[in-house]
């Protein structure tokens, strides 16, 4: 079920604009749109670090009972900020998956050639890997929020 949902979100975020770009401006506009939607590797790394920090901070919140009210409030604030940062990483993965999958589908339908099969298969594999990563990150965020952050939510 999560894979279907992530696939649908990825297609709505990236594939629909890619199809419109290809339909209205051809390969040139599709290339321009794809370049503008892809995230720079340093932003991707920074977002992954934010995801890791969220998991760490949430685990610490769950594992240790904070006795100081001020420290508990500060820790809750940090947890929420890192959760939002981790959510942005999920968005980046969704867009990346949607772009790769839609480029493959457009090539397959409109511009198929045997000599480019290997290259576009690699693009599809990158898209599927990004989609699976998005599913895993979403499940991890939901688990951390449900089990680790719930302990102190009523305090």
């Amino acid at each position: 079920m999560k894979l279907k949902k992530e696939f649908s979100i990825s297609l709505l975020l990236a594939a629909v604009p890619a199809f419109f770009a290809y339909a209205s401006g051809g390969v040139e506009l599709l290339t321009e749109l794809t370049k503008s939607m892809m995230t720079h590797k340093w932003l991707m790394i920074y977002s992954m670090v934010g995801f890791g920090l969220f998991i760490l901070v949430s685990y610490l919140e769950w594992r240790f009972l904070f006795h100081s009210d001020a420290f508990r409030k500060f820790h809750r604030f940090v947890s929420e900020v890192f959760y939002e940062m981790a959510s942005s990483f999920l968005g980046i993965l969704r867009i990346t998956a949607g772009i790769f999958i839609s480029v493959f589908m457009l090539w397959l339908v409109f511009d198929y050639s045997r000599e480019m099969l290997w290259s576009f298969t690699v693009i599809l594999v990158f898209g599927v890997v990004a989609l699976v990563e998005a599913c895993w990150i979403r499940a991890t965020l939901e688990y951390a929020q449900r089990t680790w952050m719930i302990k102190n939510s009523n305090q």
Side-chain angles (χ1 to χ4, degrees), residues 26-138:
V27 174
E28 294 81 24
L29 186 58
L30 177 64
T31 303
E32 185 180 324
L33 177 78
T34 303
K35 286 180 181 178
S36 68
M37 290 178 79
M38 294 299 291
T39 305
H40 192 274
K41 70 177 181 178
W42 290 111
L43 183 58
M44 185 77 97
I45 291 168
Y46 180 72
S47 297
M48 285 189 304
V49 168
F51 170 71
L53 288 174
F54 166 73
I55 295 301
L56 177 68
V57 167
S58 298
Y59 177 75
L60 290 175
E61 182 177 353
W62 171 73
R63 186 75 172 117
F64 302 106
L65 180 62
F66 298 115
H67 299 291
S68 164
D69 191 44
F71 187 70
R72 188 180 317 120
K73 286 180 182 177
F74 174 73
H75 192 271
R76 169 62 61 187
F77 172 75
V78 170
S79 295
E80 291 171 0
V81 168
F82 283 137
Y83 176 79
E84 292 301 323
M85 191 173 177
S87 297
S88 70
F89 178 55
L90 179 60
I92 291 169
L93 282 175
R94 287 172 172 165
I95 290 172
T96 301
I99 288 172
F100 285 144
I101 292 170
S102 64
V103 165
F104 174 80
M105 290 175 8
L106 284 169
W107 169 78
L108 191 62
V109 172
F110 296 110
D111 199 27
Y112 177 80
S113 63
R114 258 183 131 46
E115 54 272 356
M116 296 298 294
L117 181 62
W118 176 249
S119 299
F120 280 92
T121 302
V122 170
I123 289 173
L124 178 63
V125 167
F126 284 151
V128 170
V129 167
L131 188 62
V132 169
E133 287 175 350
C135 289
W136 180 79
I137 291 203
R138 180 184 173 141

